Amino acid sequence: MSRPEPRAIELTQMIAALRGSLETAQRDGDREGGPRFQVKEIEVEATVQATRDRQVAGGVRFSVVNAKGQAAKSDGVVQRVLLRLGVNQDYLISRSHLPGAGHALP
């Protein structure tokens, strides 16, 4: 029995989820105290599929392609994109939200 393909994730949804995760980390850091890290730039690489869609601004929809590289629709163009997102304010997150966290700093 094959598993159904997951619904496509819009590029905008992916960026919104990243923003939400960073905001949660910042709020948790404010509560927890301890070492803090400043976020200056975020670099995200994704494979996206561009399809024409009159219902979105610009007429093109960008959906993130799943890890296997399978596109949601066969009529789209698949591209790799690198997004460098700059932070325009001091943005501090706590250590507990970073990979390998849990060890105290000297």
Side-chain angles (χ1 to χ4, degrees):
M1 181 178 212
S2 66
R3 299 174 105 180
E5 281 293 314
R7 291 182 45 205
I9 299 171
E10 298 289 326
L11 184 59
T12 56
Q13 292 171 315
M14 183 183 83
I15 293 170
L18 175 63
R19 182 185 309 113
S21 293
L22 289 169
E23 288 171 348
T24 298
Q26 185 179 36
R27 278 192 307 273
D28 291 351
D30 289 342
R31 257 193 326 270
E32 295 169 4
R36 306 288 301 276
F37 299 92
Q38 184 176 14
V39 177
K40 294 183 180 184
E41 182 178 84
I42 301 165
E43 189 170 287
V44 178
E45 186 173 349
T47 302
V48 298
Q49 180 179 34
T51 53
R52 294 196 183 278
D53 188 337
R54 294 182 193 149
Q55 297 177 2
V56 297
V60 178
R61 178 180 304 273
F62 292 94
S63 300
V64 178
V65 175
N66 69 23
K68 295 179 183 176
Q70 298 169 330
K73 296 181 181 180
S74 60
D75 61 346
V77 176
V78 176
Q79 301 286 328
R80 290 185 70 177
V81 295
L82 176 66
L83 304 172
R84 286 196 179 102
L85 308 172
V87 180
N88 63 1
Q89 60 182 339
D90 287 343
Y91 204 90
L92 300 174
I93 60 172
S94 70
R95 178 179 169 79
S96 64
H97 293 279
L98 297 177
H103 303 288
L105 292 176

